[in-house]
Amino acid sequence: MLNIFKNLKENKANIESASDEEKGIMITTLLVEAAKSDDAFDEQEISKIKKIISNKLHFDEDFTNIIFDKAVEASQDNIELYSITKDIKDNFTKDEILNIFVYLWKVILSDGIIDDYESGLMRNLTGLFHLTGKEVAETKATAETLIKKDWRVSFSSFSLFFKPLTIF
């Protein structure tokens, strides 16, 4: 088990004082679990996770890579979902947890397919975090909207490099 989770369990009195690094590892571990749930942990999902870590958690590239590597290590150590969700529930507000669900959906939707394992993971996490179906549906809709917005921004910046065609 990764030291962060072990340390959090041993220091229950100080659990509210988890560092930004520890919180980043908790979130990233869940994102890695979501990416790996369909047995296709590919470069697209890795890139999406690192982008989320960097942009949403405001970590620089080096720290993002450190957090990501530690989360992958934790994931390889077979962290059970109950432990990680308990640590997250103890260290994050409900609004922050809902934001984590948006991040999870962005990773799951990055390949355009929600398979049975990913769907099952989200159902399990919904129960472990004591969220309603409506709340999770709203986080999914938010993620879908953000993905479409990201795509439009990427496409519009791509089109800046080309002059419009004129047809005579």
Side-chain angles (χ1 to χ4, degrees), residues 53-96:
I53 297 167
S54 175
N55 294 342
K56 302 299 182 186
L57 304 179
H58 309 291
F59 294 151
D60 65 27
E61 185 178 349
D62 291 335
F63 198 60
T64 295
N65 289 329
I66 290 168
I67 294 293
F68 180 80
D69 291 342
K70 288 182 179 183
V72 169
E73 179 186 335
S75 179
Q76 289 171 345
D77 288 343
N78 292 322
I79 297 292
E80 60 182 287
L81 283 180
Y82 177 79
S83 297
I84 185 74
T85 56
K86 181 171 181 350
D87 289 341
I88 289 173
K89 284 190 314 188
D90 290 342
N91 285 282
F92 293 88
T93 66
K94 185 168 184 173
D95 286 340
E96 291 171 328

Side-chain angles (χ1 to χ4, degrees), residues 18-157:
S19 71
D20 288 343
E21 178 181 3
E22 291 168 333
K23 288 181 176 184
I25 293 169
M26 286 182 233
I27 293 169
T28 308
T29 300
L30 265 187
L31 297 177
V32 168
E33 286 297 321
K36 289 172 60 179
S37 66
D38 64 357
D39 292 328
F41 190 43
D42 60 20
E43 201 56 45
Q44 183 178 1
E45 290 170 322
I46 291 169
S47 174
K48 178 63 74 177
I49 292 170
K50 287 184 176 182
K51 184 178 177 183
I52 289 169
I53 297 167
S54 175
N55 294 342
K56 302 299 182 186
L57 304 179
H58 309 291
F59 294 151
D60 65 27
E61 185 178 349
D62 291 335
F63 198 60
T64 295
N65 289 329
I66 290 168
I67 294 293
F68 180 80
D69 291 342
K70 288 182 179 183
V72 169
E73 179 186 335
S75 179
Q76 289 171 345
D77 288 343
N78 292 322
I79 297 292
E80 60 182 287
L81 283 180
Y82 177 79
S83 297
I84 185 74
T85 56
K86 181 171 181 350
D87 289 341
I88 289 173
K89 284 190 314 188
D90 290 342
N91 285 282
F92 293 88
T93 66
K94 185 168 184 173
D95 286 340
E96 291 171 328
I97 290 170
L98 291 172
N99 282 332
I100 292 169
F101 267 72
V102 172
Y103 307 155
L104 286 164
W105 280 118
K106 285 181 82 171
V107 170
I108 288 171
L109 294 167
S110 68
D111 62 4
I113 301 167
I114 303 172
D115 74 9
D116 291 340
Y117 295 108
E118 292 167 328
S119 180
L121 173 69
M122 293 307 285
R123 276 193 308 276
N124 288 340
L125 290 174
T126 299
L128 289 168
F129 282 110
H130 306 290
L131 299 175
T132 66
K134 180 181 178 187
E135 290 169 323
V136 175
E138 288 172 355
T139 62
K140 181 181 177 188
T142 300
E144 290 171 332
T145 301
L146 292 172
I147 289 169
K148 287 177 187 173
K149 181 181 171 191
D150 288 346
W151 182 82
R152 283 189 203 120
V153 169
S154 296
F155 184 74
S156 66
S157 62

Side-chain angles (χ1 to χ4, degrees), residues 149-168:
K149 181 181 171 191
D150 288 346
W151 182 82
R152 283 189 203 120
V153 169
S154 296
F155 184 74
S156 66
S157 62
F158 173 75
S159 65
L160 293 176
F161 295 107
F162 298 98
K163 292 182 180 179
L165 294 175
T166 54
I167 301 175
F168 296 100

